[in-house]
Amino acid sequence: MSTRELSLGHAAPAHVETGVWSWITTVDHKRIGILYGVTALAFFLIGGIEALVIRLQLARPDGHVVDADTFNALFTMHGTTMVFLAVMPLNAAFFNYMIPLLIGARDVAFPRLNALSYWIFLFGGVFLNASFLVGAPPNGGWFGYANLTTRQFSPGLNIDFWVLSLQVLGASSVMAGVNFIVTILNMRAPGMTLMRMPLFVWMTLVVQFLIVLAFPPITVGLIFLMFDRFFGTHFYDVTAGGDLHLWQHLFWIFGHPEVYILILPAFGIVSEVLPTFARKPLFGAPVVIYSGVLIGFFGFGVWSHHMFAVGMGPIADATFSMGTMLIAIPTGVKIFNWLATLWGGAIRATTALHYAVGLIAAFTIGGLSGVMHASPPVDLQQTDTYFVVAHFHYVLIGGSLLGLFAGAYYWWPKITGRLLDERWGKLQFWVTFVAFNVTFFPQHYLGAIGMPRRIYTYPPGRWWDFWNLVSTVGAFGIGVGVLLFLVIAGRSLRSGTRAPADPWDGRTLEWRTSSPPPVHDFDTIPPVHGRDTFWREKHGDSRGHRPAPAPPAPEPHGIHLPPPSYWPVVIALGVIVAGIGALVSLAVVVMGAALTVIGAWAFALEHHGDPALADQTGVLGVDSRKVALWTFLGSECLFFGTLIASYMAYKGRSVVGPHPHEILNIPLTTISTFDLLMSSLLMVLALAAVQRGDTFQARLWIFGTAFFGLIFLGFQAWEFTSFVHEGLTLQTNLFGSTFFVLTGFHGAHVTLGVAWLLTLGVLHLRGRLPARDAVKVEVAGLYWHFVDIVWIAIFTLVYLVP
């Protein structure tokens, strides 16, 4: 257990701050979880209203509820809202609130970063929906296929809102992903090995790796689209040699892992709910863990089954077809293990159990239709029909939403300290479950008889009328079910029965503390003796033996909860101001960027030097900051890997402009490369000097490394200027577009590294970087070495390979 964990609490603090400002500045993981939940619920209601208007328009032939342009905006915003602003943050609400409790920790690894990810998510979601207020909602489909989203075919601000907001939301997700990976791996209670972690924690861990590895490709795709729209590049310009399929590949490399990002948390919830209410351990828990990991792994190898209709060829089609069939195996394993858990159990039919079993039924139907799409001939018939709409709603509502409702009923007493009404809850389940099937099951038939998706109206006499009306009635039934939940939740908060610490006779650590938990989560960090450790403490193992009580871990520092901070709000506000500026003027972009930089600088220096936070060594025996950086660099590998792969795919496809190797200045770039490599040597010397307390040499090498970085940036600026004089710009041809974006983003990373080093140098000059804080220099050094390694790859592939 880390010193930081020990320092975060010993007993309840004397006073808990209340009021609006305390929620704005909070870094408490439980409050941030509640903020995520409330915000996501609001967006969910907005997305639901959009869906109901869509269904009203399609209820009868020749509908006139909305026109075609409005319909396009509604289904684009409905899909975007439900995926990025509703289901993902609803999952994040449970991650934030429950993960530290489930692993016996007092908080997440980086509480202020956690707050920053929330505020960026909130402002990004508001920015996206503000498009309605200016009459320019995104209208190109929620997966934004090129070339529909290029400036030629979408000249307004509609797609600009979509592109910018998704990049902001992606940054929020990656921050949260890094934070939770470090929290789960490095902050577990004593005795909690990886195989003793609850299933929800395991599924959360898999999801966070999916996030940090899947978001870089879509980020690169969005960057390319942004540069095409704002700066006239040619990434998706067929006349300049571009390929429209590049967008599809980048989107679906993210898009299919995103499916599992949405449903694996629900699988984890079901794996916690079923054992509790069957009063028996999860059947084959290790196998369920391995199957979840395999789902995450295989999820990266099946993206092109979304592209069978684009003409990839028989080899690619067969490969992705087999991969799609294979991924059904670990999914099926989970279903059989869940059923085996229920078999022979002492079933307690709570509302949470109803939703968990409903998920099994609904997701099985969605999974079976998904296996059908693994066959390219079948997929070709069903592509772009309502059969696909039925399939992914059975997966995402049947898989995600029903699981989220199960989690809400299961953990509501822990979060609020009050119980939900079980009788009304079961009624709400049946209304929701029946209405869900009434809505989406008929859409299988509609798709099979040829109804295309994304059409805003249809003529009579095609046998679509009746089932569209039925589907619309069912959609409003789902709306009634959601409203019932809001009423039940409101009644519970106002006058619900008080919940004890352990209302369900739970199996995991969150039930070991009060409902709701204190600010510090646990009075003492609970020891873990095996899987379902709290159940073992209460009831013993299968032979009735209870583990001997362990003495409480010493907590010498007393209470030291992370203090509130308003800098996360400032940074998030700066990011959104810059986004607004991209739509308005360069001056506003500069203002937003300045606000972001000021906030980030203050954020980095806030609470610097607190001795209680100096040692963040966790159960891995590694400082949490190093684990976080390694995780982030893994994401960066995918980011630069995607940029480099795009450059290689487009290499030699420019139809106009100078030949690259006629203007590339290899001798000059060789010198700048040598300079950057030497800066890595200076970084090593700087770390060694800080570790041994050598003040003069530490300052010399830190500032020397930053100086060498500035020299490299000077060489790059000189080279860019000479290329412009030679007639090569971003807009000239595909080589110009790929070259400037690839090397420019590397230069931006070098600039960030220089700013980081200068910050450390200033801290050292002020005597605030002692030897015990050498890990801060080590982390900066890891980043700097990574940037140098990336440049070696770029220099080799761009400058040296013909």
Side-chain angles (χ1 to χ4, degrees), residues 44 82 97 193 265 276 567 598:
F44 177 78
M82 287 304 194
Y97 203 103
T193 62
T276 297
W567 289 114
I598 292 169

Side-chain angles (χ1 to χ4, degrees), residues 75-86 128 141-142 162 166:
F75 82 74
T76 300
M77 285 297 292
H78 169 69
T80 305
T81 298
M82 287 304 194
V83 171
F84 296 101
L85 302 181
L128 177 62
W142 79 268
W162 188 78
L166 286 192

Side-chain angles (χ1 to χ4, degrees), residues 535-547:
W535 179 270
R536 291 168 180 256
E537 288 183 28
K538 295 183 293 184
H539 303 289
D541 57 21
S542 58
R543 294 168 294 182
H545 298 153
R546 289 182 173 84

Side-chain angles (χ1 to χ4, degrees), residues 629-642:
L629 189 76
W630 281 114
T631 306
F632 173 69
L633 293 184
S635 183
E636 286 286 278
C637 286
L638 268 292
F639 177 80
F640 277 109
T642 306

Side-chain angles (χ1 to χ4, degrees), residues 647-661:
Y647 167 82
M648 297 301 292
Y650 277 168
K651 189 172 183 179
R653 296 181 64 167
S654 297
V655 296
V656 296
H659 190 278
H661 281 268

Side-chain angles (χ1 to χ4, degrees), residues 213-238:
L213 297 178
F215 268 85
I218 185 62
T219 301
V220 171
L222 290 166
I223 288 170
F224 289 166
L225 180 56
M226 180 180 70
F227 271 75
D228 275 8
R229 292 183 62 84
F230 284 79
F231 306 114
T233 53
H234 304 287
F235 292 104
Y236 305 120
D237 183 358
V238 176

